[in-house]
Amino acid sequence: MTGKVPGVNSKTRLWISAAIIALAVGYLVILGVSNGSMYYLTVDELLEKKASLMGQTVRVQGVVAGGSINWEPGPIRLSFEIQSDSGVSLPVVFNDIRPDNFESGREVVLEGRLREDGLFAADNILVKCPSKYEAETAEPAQRDAGERT
Amino acid sequence: MIDVGRWALLIGFIVNVYALLAFVVGIRNGERKSIESGKWALMASLVMSSIGMAVLTYLLVTSDFSVRYVAAYTSSDLPLLYKVSALWAGQSGSLLLWFWTLSLFSVVTVFWPQRDAAGLIPHVGAVLAAIAIFFGYLLAFVTSPFEQLALPLREGQGLNPLLQNPGMVIHPTTTYLGYVGFSVPFAYAIAALINRKADAAWIRVTRRWTLAAWLFLSIGIIYGAQWAYVELGWGGYWAWDPVENASLMPWLTGTAFLHSVMIQEKKGMLKMWNIFLIIATFLLTIFGTFLTRSGILASVHAFGESSLGVYFLGFIALTLALVFWLVVSRKEVLAQENGFESTLSRESSFLVNNLLLVGGAFAVFWGTVFPLISEAVRGQKVTVGPPFFNQVMVPIGLATVVLMGICPLIAWKKSSLGNLKRNFFYPSVSALVFAITGYIAGLTSPGALVSFTVSFFVTATIFLEVYRGVRVRRRMTNEGTLVALYRLMARNRRRYGGYAVHLAVILMVVGITGSSAFHTEKAVSLNPGETVEIKDYALKYEALEWRREGRKEIVFADLIVSKDDETLGILRAEKVYHPGSDQPTTEVGILGGLQEDLYVILAGWEKNGKPASFKVIVNPLVAWLWLGEYLLIIGTVFAMWPERRALHSTAWVADRMPVTALAGRAER
C-alpha cells in the first residue's frame, strides 16, 4: 500500500519497527543481566571458590546455626553463622536491623560479599518460611524485627 | 462430614470428565442433548465444589484437628474471620478455591451465553471442563484438603500471624479471581480456533470477562503491594520477587490483550496475535501457580516444595502442544483481513504498545527463570535481582507511558504530520515548560525528570481530549459544561473509562518515581529522650512500653514527630507477639500524606529500651500509588458498565469518528 519509500511497503516498515523494539528490549535484558546478576551458591560452594569470589557480591544460601545469633540493637549489628547441609559454617555480619522471622534453624539467602577476614558482609537477608508452615509469607527482610532481651 | 467433602471432590472430578466427553460427543454428532447434559455436568461440578468448600469451611470453623489442613493452619483461638480465610492459606485449600471459582465461571458462561457466539459454547464448555479436570484431579487424588492425620492433634498449629489481617483476606481472593477469570476468554479463543471462526465475535462476547479478570488481577497485585508496605515493615512495596513477578507477567500480557482486541474489533486485524496473547496470558497464570507451589525458586511466598510442580509443568506442556497443533492445522483462517496502511496510525501505535508490554513480560520472565536456566546450562545458579528488573523495566515502562499519551491522539488508518502537530502542540510545549521549570527548581535526577515530564505530557493529552470532547458537544447541544461532560462520558464509557484508567496509571507512575528516586532512610539507636532527624522531620523517642491486647502482647514506642519546630503528632511503632509464635510481627508507624510518608519501624531494644533501635524512612509520593489504585478500579468499572443503549454498532461507529464528530454522533 502507500509507503513513503518506494519499494518498502507499510507492512515491511512495521516489521522493521517491531524488530527495532525487540532488539531494544533484548539489549536492555542483556545489559541488565550482565550488570545485575550474581552467583547463587551454597555455603560449601562459596568457601570452595573463596579465592576467586573474594569481594564479589554473591548470594549465599544456608541455615541459621542454632545459638549463633547475636543481635546488638545499640550499634545495630546482627552477627550470626550460617551452615550448609554438611555442617560447614560461615560467620556473617549484617549492619542493619534484624529481620522479622529471623531465628535459628531458618533457611536464609544472603546477598553480600566475602571479606578478607573470612567474614561474610551481608547487605540483604531473605528469610525463607519454615517448613512447618506449608504456606506462609516471609518478608524480603532487609530491616526490622526485634528480640526480647 | 470429612467423607462428604472427599466424595464431593471425587465426584466433582468425575462430572468434569463426563462434561468434556458429553461436549465432545455433542459436537461430533451434532446432538443438542449431549451438549445440554454437558452443561448440567458443569453445574454439578459447581455444586460439588461448593459442597467441598462448605465442608472445609465447617471443619475449619469447628476446629476439627483430625484433618491435616485444619491442624496446619488454624488453632482454636483463632478469630472466626481467619479460620475462614485459612481456607486459602495453604496449598490444597487454595486449589479448591481455584476449582470452585472455575466451576462458577464455567456455569455462568455456558448457561448465560451471549447470542453472538452461542455456537461456540459447546467448545468453550469443553475447554473449561478440561481445565477443571486438571484441578479436580489434583484435589481428588494428589493433594486433598480433607486428608486426615493418623493421630489427630489436640491443638492446631495456628495461622501465621502475618496472614492474620484483613488484607490477607482480599489479596489472595482477588488475585485468584483474576487468574481464573482469564480462563473464559482463553476457552473462547480455543473454541474460535477450533471452529475456524476467528472473527471478532469471541472477543466482543468476552470483553467484560477480560476486563473483570484484568481488574481483579490489578487489584490483587497493587493491593498486595500496599499490604506489603503497611504490614511487612521493610519500607517498600515491590521486591521483584519471583512470585510477585509471576502475577505481573499475565498482567502485562493481559493488558496487551485488552488493547489489541480493540484493533481486531474495529479493523479485523491481529487475529492470530490476539489468540496467542490470551493463550500466553492463561498459561502464565498457570505458570505463576506453578512457581508458587514447586519451591524451585527462593521466594517470600514459597509454599514449600512439593511434587505438584511436575503436574503443573505437564499441564502447561500439554496445553502448548494442543495449541500448536490447532494453530498449525488452522493457519489459513488467521490471515489478516486488512493490512496496516500506515506506520503512523492508531493500529500501529497499538501494536507498538503490545510489543512493549509483551517485551516487558518476556524480560520479567527471563529474569525470573534465569537461575534455573543458568544452572541447567552452566551448572551454576546465577540470580538477577532488582537492579536487573529496574534497568530493563523502567525504560519499557516509560516508553509505554509515552505511548499512552500519543495513541489516543492518532487517528485510525492514517495520521498526517499536520494532524499530529495540531494534536500534540499544546501538550508537548507545556510538558517542555514543565521539564525546564522542574530542572531549574532542583529536579535534576534524569530518571525522575523524564518520568515526571512524561506523566505531565500524558495528563495534558488526556485533559485536552476531554476538553475538546466537551467543547464540541456543547456547541451541538448548548448544555452546561458539567452536563456536557457527564453526558459525554456516560455515552462513551469505554473511552472515558479508559482515560480514567490511563490517568490512574499516571498517578501510580508518579508514586513509583517519587518513592524510588527520592527515598531516604536512617537506622538509629536512641536512648529515651533522644531525637533523630530525617529530611525536615524530627522524631523524639520517649520510652518503650508494653500492653496487652487479647492474647497478643505488644511492645511499642511512641515518637513525637515535629517538622520545622511544629509538632505534627505521635507515631507509634510496634512489635506484636502472637500466642504460639516466638517471632513478633511488625506494626509500622506511618504518617502519610499526599506529599510523602514518614515511616518508622521499631527494630529492637536493649534492656528497658535503653537504647531502642529504629529505622526511619521518608517515602515521597507513595500515597499516589494507592490513589491510582482506586481510580483504576473506578475507571475499569465505569468502562465495563453497560450503556443504556447497548447498541454495538452505534458505539463502534462513534469511536471510529474523529473526536470532533463524536458529540454529535452520541446524541443519536
Side-chain angles (χ1 to χ4, degrees):
Chain A
M1 288 242 56
T2 47
K4 290 204 186 108
V5 179
V8 181
N9 69 7
S10 297
K11 197 155 189 207
T12 313
R13 271 195 281 147
L14 227 40
W15 274 106
I16 294 178
S17 328
I20 293 178
I21 294 178
L23 283 172
V25 171
Y27 172 72
L28 282 175
V29 168
I30 294 176
L31 198 66
V33 165
S34 61
N35 284 346
S37 63
M38 36 189 144
Y39 286 118
Y40 183 94
L41 310 154
T42 61
V43 177
D44 298 321
E45 287 170 348
L46 176 64
L47 293 173
E48 227 177 281
K49 308 185 179 161
K50 202 183 349 195
S52 58
L53 292 176
M54 188 74 66
Q56 203 182 106
T57 304
V58 295
R59 282 198 181 155
V60 183
Q61 173 205 337
V63 172
V64 180
S68 69
I69 302 178
N70 183 17
W71 161 232
E72 302 160 83
I76 306 188
R77 180 165 57 225
L78 179 66
S79 319
F80 58 98
E81 283 182 8
I82 58 167
Q83 280 179 333
S84 65
D85 294 330
S86 53
V88 179
S89 288
L90 175 69
V92 182
V93 66
F94 179 58
N95 290 312
D96 209 325
I97 57 188
R98 175 184 173 154
D100 272 343
N101 269 358
F102 184 83
E103 55 181 0
S104 301
R106 288 289 168 99
E107 208 180 309
V108 292
V109 176
L110 310 173
E111 200 179 295
R113 296 168 315 284
L114 191 59
R115 296 205 313 221
E116 297 280 328
D117 57 3
L119 209 58
F120 187 85
D123 302 318
N124 268 345
I125 301 181
L126 182 75
V127 185
K128 225 179 168 189
C129 357
S131 51
K132 82 166 165 141
Y133 290 115
E134 236 182 72
E136 193 186 327
T137 45
E139 332 68 273
Q142 293 150 344
R143 300 113 198 156
D144 81 23
E147 184 187 317
R148 258 184 181 143
T149 10
Chain B
M1 180 55 83
I2 300 173
D3 289 328
V4 172
R6 220 180 280 132
W7 277 104
L9 291 186
L10 180 61
I11 298 175
F13 166 71
I14 294 174
V15 294
N16 274 300
V17 176
Y18 174 81
L20 178 61
L21 292 171
F23 282 124
V24 169
V25 165
I27 292 167
R28 280 256 153 112
N29 304 344
E31 276 176 40
R32 278 215 54 166
K33 269 203 173 155
S34 233
I35 295 177
E36 279 306 303
S37 84
K39 285 193 201 173
W40 284 104
L42 287 180
M43 176 67 84
S45 172
L46 177 59
V47 170
M48 289 299 132
S49 55
S50 303
I51 293 176
M53 293 271 282
V55 169
L56 186 57
T57 309
Y58 175 79
L59 293 171
L60 285 165
V61 166
T62 57
S63 294
D64 184 340
F65 297 127
S66 68
V67 178
R68 174 190 289 267
Y69 195 83
V70 179
Y73 297 109
T74 63
S75 51
S76 11
D77 56 351
L78 199 62
L80 184 63
L81 174 66
Y82 301 127
K83 281 187 181 173
V84 172
S85 76
L87 186 91
W88 51 79
Q91 173 104 285
S92 44
S94 60
L95 284 177
L96 178 55
L97 178 63
W98 189 302
F99 182 63
W100 177 80
T101 313
L102 183 59
S103 301
L104 177 66
F105 289 173
S106 305
V107 164
V108 170
T109 306
V110 302
F111 279 95
W112 284 277
Q114 299 239 25
R115 228 173 306 130
D116 269 354
L120 293 176
I121 288 294
H123 304 82
V124 171
V127 174
L128 290 173
I131 303 173
I133 288 174
F134 172 66
F135 285 95
Y137 178 82
L138 289 179
L139 283 166
F141 301 110
V142 180
T143 170
S144 170
F146 301 112
E147 192 186 327
Q148 285 182 282
L149 294 170
L151 233 52
L153 290 187
R154 221 171 322 135
E155 179 56 73
Q157 291 174 318
L159 188 66
N160 184 330
L162 277 173
L163 297 181
Q164 288 180 41
N165 57 74
M168 277 297 104
V169 177
I170 299 178
H171 164 71
T173 42
T174 51
T175 310
Y176 273 24
L177 282 172
Y179 281 167
V180 182
F182 278 117
S183 308
V184 175
F186 168 75
Y188 268 99
I190 299 289
L193 199 51
I194 294 176
N195 275 343
R196 296 182 158 89
K197 272 204 179 122
D199 61 4
W202 74 272
I203 287 179
R204 270 201 301 275
V205 156
T206 55
R207 184 187 145 236
R208 290 209 168 83
W209 279 106
T210 308
L211 268 177
W214 181 86
L215 176 62
F216 281 119
L217 187 56
S218 305
I219 296 175
I221 294 174
I222 305 174
Y223 193 83
Q226 190 173 14
W227 174 83
Y229 181 71
V230 172
E231 286 299 329
L232 290 184
W234 53 283
Y237 44 81
W238 187 264
W240 294 111
D241 174 85
V243 169
E244 289 172 341
N245 297 344
S247 63
L248 185 62
M249 288 187 277
W251 185 86
L252 287 168
T253 55
T255 308
F257 179 68
L258 259 184
H259 287 84
S260 63
V261 293
M262 288 190 231
I263 302 190
Q264 184 169 347
E265 260 187 280
K266 295 190 197 321
K267 310 288 276 175
M269 301 179 195
L270 298 182
K271 297 179 189 170
M272 179 91 101
W273 178 255
N274 282 329
I275 292 189
F276 281 154
L277 264 185
I278 187 62
I279 290 173
T281 306
F282 171 74
L283 283 176
L284 283 170
T285 63
I286 304 288
F287 181 72
T289 316
F290 158 70
L291 273 187
T292 38
R293 286 155 211 285
S294 62
I296 56 174
L297 288 171
S299 149
V300 288
H301 270 78
F303 269 74
E305 311 217 359
S306 69
S307 57
L308 230 60
V310 177
Y311 288 97
F312 277 90
L313 271 183
F315 181 70
I316 294 175
L318 205 63
T319 311
L320 274 173
L322 177 70
V323 163
F324 182 72
W325 172 76
L326 269 179
V327 166
V328 162
S329 62
R330 277 134 172 95
K331 223 177 352 175
E332 72 288 353
V333 180
L334 297 170
Q336 288 185 181
E337 277 174 10
N338 303 324
F340 284 88
E341 283 171 33
S342 162
T343 323
L344 205 61
S345 62
R346 190 174 287 190
E347 301 92 275
S348 42
S349 66
F350 266 63
L351 190 61
V352 173
N353 148 300
N354 262 228
L355 288 171
L356 285 172
L357 286 170
V358 172
F362 172 76
V364 173
F365 180 82
W366 185 250
T368 307
V369 301
F370 196 72
L372 303 167
I373 297 182
S374 70
E375 187 163 30
V377 169
R378 286 160 49 177
Q380 173 61 57
K381 231 184 197 169
V382 181
T383 58
V384 289
F388 165 82
F389 291 105
N390 291 330
Q391 185 160 23
V392 179
M393 295 305 286
V394 167
I396 293 179
L398 285 178
T400 314
V401 170
V402 169
L403 212 56
M404 223 165 57
I406 295 178
C407 190
L409 296 184
I410 298 184
W412 291 107
K413 261 204 180 161
K414 185 180 163 124
S415 249
S416 67
L417 236 32
N419 219 346
L420 281 180
K421 267 195 260 180
R422 223 178 309 126
N423 285 337
F424 289 110
F425 183 71
Y426 286 117
S428 310
V429 167
S430 51
L432 198 61
V433 169
F434 175 87
I436 296 175
T437 318
Y439 189 81
I440 297 176
L443 182 66
T444 49
S445 151
L449 187 60
V450 168
S451 181
F452 286 137
T453 306
V454 161
S455 305
F456 183 88
F457 171 73
V458 177
T459 312
T461 60
I462 295 178
F463 277 108
L464 190 61
E465 268 291 279
V466 176
Y467 168 74
R468 281 214 196 111
V470 171
R471 191 179 64 184
V472 163
R473 189 184 167 86
R474 289 192 65 203
R475 263 198 221 128
M476 307 236 165
T477 65
N478 276 320
E479 289 162 343
T481 315
L482 284 178
V483 177
L485 178 64
Y486 170 74
R487 294 234 173 104
L488 182 67
M489 296 203 303
R491 288 188 173 124
N492 294 283
R493 288 178 215 245
R494 273 179 88 167
R495 173 185 288 250
Y496 288 94
Y499 285 159
V501 173
H502 283 179
L503 206 56
V505 171
I506 294 294
L507 288 178
M508 291 193 271
V509 167
V510 169
I512 294 172
T513 309
S515 54
S516 315
F518 303 110
H519 165 112
T520 14
E521 66 180 46
K522 254 189 185 173
V524 306
S525 248
L526 295 176
N527 280 307
E530 285 181 346
T531 303
V532 56
E533 285 174 16
I534 184 167
K535 276 207 153 168
D536 39 7
Y537 294 99
L539 294 103
K540 181 159 172 232
Y541 164 51
E542 295 274 282
L544 198 64
E545 298 170 72
W546 174 91
R547 72 173 194 274
R548 177 165 278 188
E549 241 176 55
R551 295 194 55 204
K552 298 190 284 200
E553 286 182 21
I554 304 177
V555 176
F556 64 96
D558 283 340
L559 297 114
I560 303 180
V561 181
S562 49
K563 188 175 184 175
D564 303 326
D565 292 329
E566 188 195 317
T567 309
L568 290 180
I570 298 186
L571 267 188
R572 174 170 290 187
E574 307 177 339
K575 277 278 183 272
V576 182
Y577 290 88
H578 299 259
S581 174
D582 261 343
Q583 290 302 309
T585 59
T586 307
E587 284 297 318
V588 292
I590 302 182
L591 192 64
L594 261 188
Q595 197 185 343
E596 59 201 357
D597 273 15
L598 177 65
Y599 187 104
V600 180
I601 305 163
L602 173 63
W605 53 89
E606 304 276 16
K607 285 250 179 312
N608 296 325
K610 304 187 209 316
S613 45
F614 300 93
K615 181 160 259 195
V616 264
I617 302 175
V618 175
N619 271 323
L621 303 178
V622 180
W624 290 58
L625 261 168
W626 323 134
L627 285 178
E629 176 186 4
Y630 305 135
L631 182 58
L632 187 132
I633 297 174
I634 295 173
T636 313
V637 171
F638 186 75
M640 279 170 64
W641 207 262
E643 296 182 19
R644 243 175 304 137
R645 284 171 287 169
L647 299 164
H648 291 300
S649 47
T650 318
W652 182 77
V653 171
D655 274 331
R656 287 187 82 182
M657 298 270 154
V659 72
T660 44
L662 195 63
R665 255 300 170 181
E667 263 302 38
R668 288 178 232 156

